[in-house]
Amino acid sequence: MDWLIPYLPGFGAAYAIQAVSVASPGPGVALLLGIALSQGRANAVAAAFGIALGAACLALATTQGLGLLMERVAWLSTIIRIAGISYLLWLALKAFRRASQPPKVAVAAIGRPTGQIRSFVAGYLMQITNPKAIVFWLAIATVGATNNAPLPVLALFIAGAFVLSLAGHGAYAVLLSSSPFRLAYDRARRWIEAALGVFLTYVAFRLATERS
C-alpha cells in the first residue's frame, strides 16, 4: 500500500469537500424527500444509489480534467446550467401538483421494480445535472488529489466517492422514509410539498441569476 500513501492527504481534502456537499441539503435531498414520502423506502434507496453513481461519474470527470474543460469550453457550462435549471423546475412543478392534489401513499405500490428503476435514473440525472454537486466537484478538482496518479489510485478515488455519497444519501433515504416522518407528512403533506416546490424554484432561480 506504499503506492497509496502520497495520495492520502489529497484524498482526505477531496472527501472532506464531498462530505460537506452531501451533508448540506440541496436538490438531491429534495428529490429523496419526494420519493421517500410518495413511493417508500425501497425507491428512495434506489434513488440514493443513482445519486451515488452520478457522484462517481463526476469524480471520474474530475480526474479527467472537468474543471479545465469547463473553463475552456464556455458553452458546456451553460448547457449544464440550463439542464439543471430545467430539471429543478420540473421537480418543483411536480411538488406543486402534489400540494394541490396530495397523492395517497399506497403500500402495494411501494417497491415495484419499475418504480425503483425510475427512481435510480431520477437520482442519477439529478446528480449529474445538479449545479451544487458540480460546483463542489470543481472545488475538489483544485485539490489535485489524483494528479499524475496511476490507474489503481484513480479507481480507488472514484470508488470512495461512490461509497461516501451512498452512505450520506442512503441515510437521508432511510430517515425520510421512516414511519414517524411519513406520519408527520400525512398530517401536513400539502404544506411540505408546497415548501418543497418553493425551495426547488428558489434553487433554480439562484442558479439562473448567479454569474458563471
PDB file of all heavy atoms in Angstrom, residues 50-83:
ATOM      1  N   GLY A  50     -28.603   5.853  -7.392  1.00  0.00           N
ATOM      2  CA  GLY A  50     -28.439   6.638  -8.615  1.00  0.00           C
ATOM      3  C   GLY A  50     -27.616   7.880  -8.372  1.00  0.00           C
ATOM      4  O   GLY A  50     -26.747   8.236  -9.178  1.00  0.00           O
ATOM      5  N   ILE A  51     -27.874   8.547  -7.246  1.00  0.00           N
ATOM      6  CA  ILE A  51     -27.096   9.741  -6.895  1.00  0.00           C
ATOM      7  C   ILE A  51     -25.634   9.372  -6.686  1.00  0.00           C
ATOM      8  O   ILE A  51     -24.720  10.095  -7.120  1.00  0.00           O
ATOM      9  CB  ILE A  51     -27.677  10.393  -5.630  1.00  0.00           C
ATOM     10  CG1 ILE A  51     -29.054  10.990  -5.931  1.00  0.00           C
ATOM     11  CG2 ILE A  51     -26.745  11.488  -5.101  1.00  0.00           C
ATOM     12  CD1 ILE A  51     -29.773  11.537  -4.712  1.00  0.00           C
ATOM     13  N   ALA A  52     -25.386   8.234  -6.034  1.00  0.00           N
ATOM     14  CA  ALA A  52     -24.010   7.792  -5.782  1.00  0.00           C
ATOM     15  C   ALA A  52     -23.285   7.486  -7.092  1.00  0.00           C
ATOM     16  O   ALA A  52     -22.100   7.818  -7.253  1.00  0.00           O
ATOM     17  CB  ALA A  52     -24.009   6.566  -4.877  1.00  0.00           C
ATOM     18  N   LEU A  53     -23.994   6.863  -8.039  1.00  0.00           N
ATOM     19  CA  LEU A  53     -23.375   6.601  -9.334  1.00  0.00           C
ATOM     20  C   LEU A  53     -23.059   7.916 -10.043  1.00  0.00           C
ATOM     21  O   LEU A  53     -22.008   8.051 -10.689  1.00  0.00           O
ATOM     22  CB  LEU A  53     -24.302   5.748 -10.197  1.00  0.00           C
ATOM     23  CG  LEU A  53     -23.782   5.415 -11.604  1.00  0.00           C
ATOM     24  CD1 LEU A  53     -22.458   4.650 -11.524  1.00  0.00           C
ATOM     25  CD2 LEU A  53     -24.814   4.619 -12.395  1.00  0.00           C
ATOM     26  N   GLY A  54     -23.969   8.871  -9.926  1.00  0.00           N
ATOM     27  CA  GLY A  54     -23.712  10.193 -10.510  1.00  0.00           C
ATOM     28  C   GLY A  54     -22.489  10.840  -9.887  1.00  0.00           C
ATOM     29  O   GLY A  54     -21.683  11.471 -10.586  1.00  0.00           O
ATOM     30  N   ALA A  55     -22.333  10.689  -8.561  1.00  0.00           N
ATOM     31  CA  ALA A  55     -21.154  11.224  -7.886  1.00  0.00           C
ATOM     32  C   ALA A  55     -19.884  10.561  -8.394  1.00  0.00           C
ATOM     33  O   ALA A  55     -18.852  11.215  -8.582  1.00  0.00           O
ATOM     34  CB  ALA A  55     -21.285  11.029  -6.371  1.00  0.00           C
ATOM     35  N   ALA A  56     -19.949   9.246  -8.630  1.00  0.00           N
ATOM     36  CA  ALA A  56     -18.793   8.533  -9.163  1.00  0.00           C
ATOM     37  C   ALA A  56     -18.437   9.038 -10.560  1.00  0.00           C
ATOM     38  O   ALA A  56     -17.256   9.174 -10.906  1.00  0.00           O
ATOM     39  CB  ALA A  56     -19.065   7.026  -9.191  1.00  0.00           C
ATOM     40  N   CYS A  57     -19.464   9.330 -11.359  1.00  0.00           N
ATOM     41  CA  CYS A  57     -19.214   9.864 -12.708  1.00  0.00           C
ATOM     42  C   CYS A  57     -18.583  11.250 -12.634  1.00  0.00           C
ATOM     43  O   CYS A  57     -17.682  11.577 -13.418  1.00  0.00           O
ATOM     44  CB  CYS A  57     -20.514   9.911 -13.500  1.00  0.00           C
ATOM     45  SG  CYS A  57     -21.165   8.297 -13.964  1.00  0.00           S
ATOM     46  N   LEU A  58     -19.042  12.069 -11.700  1.00  0.00           N
ATOM     47  CA  LEU A  58     -18.446  13.392 -11.523  1.00  0.00           C
ATOM     48  C   LEU A  58     -17.015  13.273 -11.015  1.00  0.00           C
ATOM     49  O   LEU A  58     -16.138  14.061 -11.404  1.00  0.00           O
ATOM     50  CB  LEU A  58     -19.274  14.225 -10.550  1.00  0.00           C
ATOM     51  CG  LEU A  58     -20.646  14.682 -11.057  1.00  0.00           C
ATOM     52  CD1 LEU A  58     -21.405  15.434  -9.972  1.00  0.00           C
ATOM     53  CD2 LEU A  58     -20.494  15.558 -12.305  1.00  0.00           C
ATOM     54  N   ALA A  59     -16.771  12.278 -10.155  1.00  0.00           N
ATOM     55  CA  ALA A  59     -15.402  12.043  -9.685  1.00  0.00           C
ATOM     56  C   ALA A  59     -14.507  11.629 -10.853  1.00  0.00           C
ATOM     57  O   ALA A  59     -13.363  12.095 -10.971  1.00  0.00           O
ATOM     58  CB  ALA A  59     -15.395  10.953  -8.608  1.00  0.00           C
ATOM     59  N   LEU A  60     -15.037  10.775 -11.732  1.00  0.00           N
ATOM     60  CA  LEU A  60     -14.275  10.366 -12.920  1.00  0.00           C
ATOM     61  C   LEU A  60     -13.986  11.572 -13.806  1.00  0.00           C
ATOM     62  O   LEU A  60     -12.856  11.748 -14.291  1.00  0.00           O
ATOM     63  CB  LEU A  60     -15.064   9.312 -13.691  1.00  0.00           C
ATOM     64  CG  LEU A  60     -14.476   8.882 -15.046  1.00  0.00           C
ATOM     65  CD1 LEU A  60     -13.093   8.266 -14.862  1.00  0.00           C
ATOM     66  CD2 LEU A  60     -15.409   7.905 -15.747  1.00  0.00           C
ATOM     67  N   ALA A  61     -15.008  12.411 -14.009  1.00  0.00           N
ATOM     68  CA  ALA A  61     -14.812  13.602 -14.833  1.00  0.00           C
ATOM     69  C   ALA A  61     -13.777  14.534 -14.212  1.00  0.00           C
ATOM     70  O   ALA A  61     -12.976  15.151 -14.922  1.00  0.00           O
ATOM     71  CB  ALA A  61     -16.142  14.331 -15.005  1.00  0.00           C
ATOM     72  N   THR A  62     -13.786  14.613 -12.884  1.00  0.00           N
ATOM     73  CA  THR A  62     -12.819  15.463 -12.191  1.00  0.00           C
ATOM     74  C   THR A  62     -11.396  14.971 -12.433  1.00  0.00           C
ATOM     75  O   THR A  62     -10.481  15.767 -12.678  1.00  0.00           O
ATOM     76  CB  THR A  62     -13.112  15.485 -10.676  1.00  0.00           C
ATOM     77  OG1 THR A  62     -14.415  16.032 -10.468  1.00  0.00           O
ATOM     78  CG2 THR A  62     -12.093  16.333  -9.939  1.00  0.00           C
ATOM     79  N   THR A  63     -11.205  13.671 -12.369  1.00  0.00           N
ATOM     80  CA  THR A  63      -9.860  13.124 -12.589  1.00  0.00           C
ATOM     81  C   THR A  63      -9.403  13.301 -14.030  1.00  0.00           C
ATOM     82  O   THR A  63      -8.209  13.264 -14.311  1.00  0.00           O
ATOM     83  CB  THR A  63      -9.813  11.621 -12.248  1.00  0.00           C
ATOM     84  OG1 THR A  63     -10.676  10.886 -13.141  1.00  0.00           O
ATOM     85  CG2 THR A  63     -10.253  11.368 -10.820  1.00  0.00           C
ATOM     86  N   GLN A  64     -10.360  13.525 -14.939  1.00  0.00           N
ATOM     87  CA  GLN A  64     -10.016  13.684 -16.348  1.00  0.00           C
ATOM     88  C   GLN A  64     -10.003  15.147 -16.788  1.00  0.00           C
ATOM     89  O   GLN A  64     -10.006  15.428 -17.985  1.00  0.00           O
ATOM     90  CB  GLN A  64     -10.997  12.878 -17.219  1.00  0.00           C
ATOM     91  CG  GLN A  64     -11.032  11.402 -16.910  1.00  0.00           C
ATOM     92  CD  GLN A  64      -9.668  10.762 -17.011  1.00  0.00           C
ATOM     93  OE1 GLN A  64      -8.970  10.930 -18.029  1.00  0.00           O
ATOM     94  NE2 GLN A  64      -9.252  10.026 -15.982  1.00  0.00           N
ATOM     95  N   GLY A  65     -10.023  16.061 -15.815  1.00  0.00           N
ATOM     96  CA  GLY A  65      -9.888  17.472 -16.142  1.00  0.00           C
ATOM     97  C   GLY A  65     -11.185  18.194 -16.402  1.00  0.00           C
ATOM     98  O   GLY A  65     -11.252  19.044 -17.297  1.00  0.00           O
ATOM     99  N   LEU A  66     -12.239  17.888 -15.630  1.00  0.00           N
ATOM    100  CA  LEU A  66     -13.523  18.550 -15.818  1.00  0.00           C
ATOM    101  C   LEU A  66     -13.412  20.066 -15.658  1.00  0.00           C
ATOM    102  O   LEU A  66     -13.946  20.828 -16.461  1.00  0.00           O
ATOM    103  CB  LEU A  66     -14.542  17.994 -14.809  1.00  0.00           C
ATOM    104  CG  LEU A  66     -15.891  18.717 -14.734  1.00  0.00           C
ATOM    105  CD1 LEU A  66     -16.641  18.581 -16.046  1.00  0.00           C
ATOM    106  CD2 LEU A  66     -16.729  18.178 -13.585  1.00  0.00           C
ATOM    107  N   GLY A  67     -12.718  20.503 -14.604  1.00  0.00           N
ATOM    108  CA  GLY A  67     -12.613  21.941 -14.358  1.00  0.00           C
ATOM    109  C   GLY A  67     -11.948  22.671 -15.506  1.00  0.00           C
ATOM    110  O   GLY A  67     -12.418  23.713 -15.956  1.00  0.00           O
ATOM    111  N   LEU A  68     -10.837  22.111 -16.004  1.00  0.00           N
ATOM    112  CA  LEU A  68     -10.118  22.742 -17.113  1.00  0.00           C
ATOM    113  C   LEU A  68     -10.979  22.782 -18.368  1.00  0.00           C
ATOM    114  O   LEU A  68     -10.994  23.776 -19.096  1.00  0.00           O
ATOM    115  CB  LEU A  68      -8.817  21.979 -17.378  1.00  0.00           C
ATOM    116  CG  LEU A  68      -7.926  22.539 -18.492  1.00  0.00           C
ATOM    117  CD1 LEU A  68      -7.492  23.953 -18.150  1.00  0.00           C
ATOM    118  CD2 LEU A  68      -6.712  21.633 -18.697  1.00  0.00           C
ATOM    119  N   LEU A  69     -11.726  21.687 -18.603  1.00  0.00           N
ATOM    120  CA  LEU A  69     -12.581  21.624 -19.785  1.00  0.00           C
ATOM    121  C   LEU A  69     -13.665  22.685 -19.737  1.00  0.00           C
ATOM    122  O   LEU A  69     -13.925  23.379 -20.730  1.00  0.00           O
ATOM    123  CB  LEU A  69     -13.216  20.231 -19.890  1.00  0.00           C
ATOM    124  CG  LEU A  69     -14.212  20.023 -21.032  1.00  0.00           C
ATOM    125  CD1 LEU A  69     -13.523  20.220 -22.386  1.00  0.00           C
ATOM    126  CD2 LEU A  69     -14.852  18.643 -20.958  1.00  0.00           C
ATOM    127  N   MET A  70     -14.304  22.850 -18.563  1.00  0.00           N
ATOM    128  CA  MET A  70     -15.386  23.823 -18.455  1.00  0.00           C
ATOM    129  C   MET A  70     -14.865  25.253 -18.544  1.00  0.00           C
ATOM    130  O   MET A  70     -15.584  26.156 -18.974  1.00  0.00           O
ATOM    131  CB  MET A  70     -16.146  23.605 -17.143  1.00  0.00           C
ATOM    132  CG  MET A  70     -16.917  22.294 -17.112  1.00  0.00           C
ATOM    133  SD  MET A  70     -17.971  22.121 -15.651  1.00  0.00           S
ATOM    134  CE  MET A  70     -19.199  23.380 -15.960  1.00  0.00           C
ATOM    135  N   GLU A  71     -13.624  25.472 -18.134  1.00  0.00           N
ATOM    136  CA  GLU A  71     -13.036  26.803 -18.273  1.00  0.00           C
ATOM    137  C   GLU A  71     -12.773  27.136 -19.736  1.00  0.00           C
ATOM    138  O   GLU A  71     -12.938  28.278 -20.166  1.00  0.00           O
ATOM    139  CB  GLU A  71     -11.730  26.871 -17.484  1.00  0.00           C
ATOM    140  CG  GLU A  71     -11.927  26.923 -15.974  1.00  0.00           C
ATOM    141  CD  GLU A  71     -10.596  27.003 -15.250  1.00  0.00           C
ATOM    142  OE1 GLU A  71      -9.552  27.061 -15.943  1.00  0.00           O
ATOM    143  OE2 GLU A  71     -10.591  27.002 -14.011  1.00  0.00           O
ATOM    144  N   ARG A  72     -12.366  26.135 -20.509  1.00  0.00           N
ATOM    145  CA  ARG A  72     -12.010  26.369 -21.911  1.00  0.00           C
ATOM    146  C   ARG A  72     -13.225  26.331 -22.829  1.00  0.00           C
ATOM    147  O   ARG A  72     -13.212  26.947 -23.893  1.00  0.00           O
ATOM    148  CB  ARG A  72     -10.986  25.327 -22.356  1.00  0.00           C
ATOM    149  CG  ARG A  72      -9.630  25.476 -21.647  1.00  0.00           C
ATOM    150  CD  ARG A  72      -8.626  24.485 -22.193  1.00  0.00           C
ATOM    151  NE  ARG A  72      -7.311  24.687 -21.586  1.00  0.00           N
ATOM    152  CZ  ARG A  72      -6.233  23.949 -21.889  1.00  0.00           C
ATOM    153  NH1 ARG A  72      -6.329  22.974 -22.778  1.00  0.00           N
ATOM    154  NH2 ARG A  72      -5.079  24.207 -21.301  1.00  0.00           N
ATOM    155  N   VAL A  73     -14.251  25.578 -22.462  1.00  0.00           N
ATOM    156  CA  VAL A  73     -15.449  25.450 -23.305  1.00  0.00           C
ATOM    157  C   VAL A  73     -16.618  26.081 -22.560  1.00  0.00           C
ATOM    158  O   VAL A  73     -17.323  25.425 -21.797  1.00  0.00           O
ATOM    159  CB  VAL A  73     -15.740  23.965 -23.628  1.00  0.00           C
ATOM    160  CG1 VAL A  73     -16.887  23.856 -24.623  1.00  0.00           C
ATOM    161  CG2 VAL A  73     -14.492  23.279 -24.166  1.00  0.00           C
ATOM    162  N   ALA A  74     -16.823  27.372 -22.782  1.00  0.00           N
ATOM    163  CA  ALA A  74     -17.819  28.126 -22.014  1.00  0.00           C
ATOM    164  C   ALA A  74     -19.229  27.597 -22.227  1.00  0.00           C
ATOM    165  O   ALA A  74     -20.036  27.564 -21.293  1.00  0.00           O
ATOM    166  CB  ALA A  74     -17.753  29.601 -22.399  1.00  0.00           C
ATOM    167  N   TRP A  75     -19.544  27.158 -23.450  1.00  0.00           N
ATOM    168  CA  TRP A  75     -20.907  26.721 -23.729  1.00  0.00           C
ATOM    169  C   TRP A  75     -21.258  25.443 -22.974  1.00  0.00           C
ATOM    170  O   TRP A  75     -22.440  25.167 -22.701  1.00  0.00           O
ATOM    171  CB  TRP A  75     -21.117  26.519 -25.227  1.00  0.00           C
ATOM    172  CG  TRP A  75     -20.183  25.546 -25.883  1.00  0.00           C
ATOM    173  CD1 TRP A  75     -19.037  25.841 -26.555  1.00  0.00           C
ATOM    174  CD2 TRP A  75     -20.315  24.117 -25.930  1.00  0.00           C
ATOM    175  NE1 TRP A  75     -18.439  24.698 -27.020  1.00  0.00           N
ATOM    176  CE2 TRP A  75     -19.207  23.626 -26.656  1.00  0.00           C
ATOM    177  CE3 TRP A  75     -21.246  23.215 -25.451  1.00  0.00           C
ATOM    178  CZ2 TRP A  75     -19.012  22.267 -26.901  1.00  0.00           C
ATOM    179  CZ3 TRP A  75     -21.066  21.845 -25.684  1.00  0.00           C
ATOM    180  CH2 TRP A  75     -19.963  21.395 -26.403  1.00  0.00           C
ATOM    181  N   LEU A  76     -20.254  24.633 -22.603  1.00  0.00           N
ATOM    182  CA  LEU A  76     -20.531  23.412 -21.859  1.00  0.00           C
ATOM    183  C   LEU A  76     -21.104  23.750 -20.482  1.00  0.00           C
ATOM    184  O   LEU A  76     -22.058  23.132 -20.017  1.00  0.00           O
ATOM    185  CB  LEU A  76     -19.257  22.583 -21.709  1.00  0.00           C
ATOM    186  CG  LEU A  76     -19.380  21.275 -20.921  1.00  0.00           C
ATOM    187  CD1 LEU A  76     -20.391  20.357 -21.579  1.00  0.00           C
ATOM    188  CD2 LEU A  76     -18.023  20.586 -20.819  1.00  0.00           C
ATOM    189  N   SER A  77     -20.523  24.742 -19.844  1.00  0.00           N
ATOM    190  CA  SER A  77     -21.029  25.187 -18.548  1.00  0.00           C
ATOM    191  C   SER A  77     -22.455  25.720 -18.675  1.00  0.00           C
ATOM    192  O   SER A  77     -23.300  25.473 -17.811  1.00  0.00           O
ATOM    193  CB  SER A  77     -20.114  26.278 -17.979  1.00  0.00           C
ATOM    194  OG  SER A  77     -20.617  26.774 -16.757  1.00  0.00           O
ATOM    195  N   THR A  78     -22.733  26.437 -19.777  1.00  0.00           N
ATOM    196  CA  THR A  78     -24.068  26.981 -19.998  1.00  0.00           C
ATOM    197  C   THR A  78     -25.091  25.868 -20.186  1.00  0.00           C
ATOM    198  O   THR A  78     -26.208  25.924 -19.641  1.00  0.00           O
ATOM    199  CB  THR A  78     -24.078  27.892 -21.236  1.00  0.00           C
ATOM    200  OG1 THR A  78     -23.140  28.959 -21.037  1.00  0.00           O
ATOM    201  CG2 THR A  78     -25.464  28.471 -21.479  1.00  0.00           C
ATOM    202  N   ILE A  79     -24.726  24.831 -20.942  1.00  0.00           N
ATOM    203  CA  ILE A  79     -25.630  23.712 -21.175  1.00  0.00           C
ATOM    204  C   ILE A  79     -25.954  23.000 -19.863  1.00  0.00           C
ATOM    205  O   ILE A  79     -27.115  22.665 -19.578  1.00  0.00           O
ATOM    206  CB  ILE A  79     -25.021  22.723 -22.191  1.00  0.00           C
ATOM    207  CG1 ILE A  79     -25.027  23.350 -23.597  1.00  0.00           C
ATOM    208  CG2 ILE A  79     -25.794  21.401 -22.193  1.00  0.00           C
ATOM    209  CD1 ILE A  79     -24.392  22.477 -24.647  1.00  0.00           C
ATOM    210  N   ILE A  80     -24.934  22.767 -19.051  1.00  0.00           N
ATOM    211  CA  ILE A  80     -25.144  22.112 -17.764  1.00  0.00           C
ATOM    212  C   ILE A  80     -26.052  22.960 -16.875  1.00  0.00           C
ATOM    213  O   ILE A  80     -26.942  22.455 -16.191  1.00  0.00           O
ATOM    214  CB  ILE A  80     -23.801  21.832 -17.072  1.00  0.00           C
ATOM    215  CG1 ILE A  80     -23.010  20.790 -17.868  1.00  0.00           C
ATOM    216  CG2 ILE A  80     -24.009  21.350 -15.637  1.00  0.00           C
ATOM    217  CD1 ILE A  80     -21.623  20.529 -17.325  1.00  0.00           C
ATOM    218  N   ARG A  81     -25.835  24.276 -16.896  1.00  0.00           N
ATOM    219  CA  ARG A  81     -26.655  25.188 -16.094  1.00  0.00           C
ATOM    220  C   ARG A  81     -28.114  25.126 -16.534  1.00  0.00           C
ATOM    221  O   ARG A  81     -29.032  25.015 -15.700  1.00  0.00           O
ATOM    222  CB  ARG A  81     -26.121  26.609 -16.226  1.00  0.00           C
ATOM    223  CG  ARG A  81     -26.936  27.648 -15.453  1.00  0.00           C
ATOM    224  CD  ARG A  81     -26.406  29.037 -15.768  1.00  0.00           C
ATOM    225  NE  ARG A  81     -25.075  29.219 -15.212  1.00  0.00           N
ATOM    226  CZ  ARG A  81     -24.834  29.884 -14.086  1.00  0.00           C
ATOM    227  NH1 ARG A  81     -25.833  30.419 -13.408  1.00  0.00           N
ATOM    228  NH2 ARG A  81     -23.611  30.020 -13.640  1.00  0.00           N
ATOM    229  N   ILE A  82     -28.364  25.189 -17.845  1.00  0.00           N
ATOM    230  CA  ILE A  82     -29.730  25.155 -18.359  1.00  0.00           C
ATOM    231  C   ILE A  82     -30.403  23.831 -18.031  1.00  0.00           C
ATOM    232  O   ILE A  82     -31.579  23.780 -17.638  1.00  0.00           O
ATOM    233  CB  ILE A  82     -29.739  25.413 -19.879  1.00  0.00           C
ATOM    234  CG1 ILE A  82     -29.292  26.853 -20.174  1.00  0.00           C
ATOM    235  CG2 ILE A  82     -31.130  25.166 -20.466  1.00  0.00           C
ATOM    236  CD1 ILE A  82     -29.122  27.152 -21.649  1.00  0.00           C
ATOM    237  N   ALA A  83     -29.655  22.733 -18.176  1.00  0.00           N
ATOM    238  CA  ALA A  83     -30.208  21.409 -17.854  1.00  0.00           C
ATOM    239  C   ALA A  83     -30.583  21.325 -16.378  1.00  0.00           C
ATOM    240  O   ALA A  83     -31.650  20.802 -16.023  1.00  0.00           O
ATOM    241  CB  ALA A  83     -29.196  20.323 -18.211  1.00  0.00           C
TER     242      ALA A  83
END
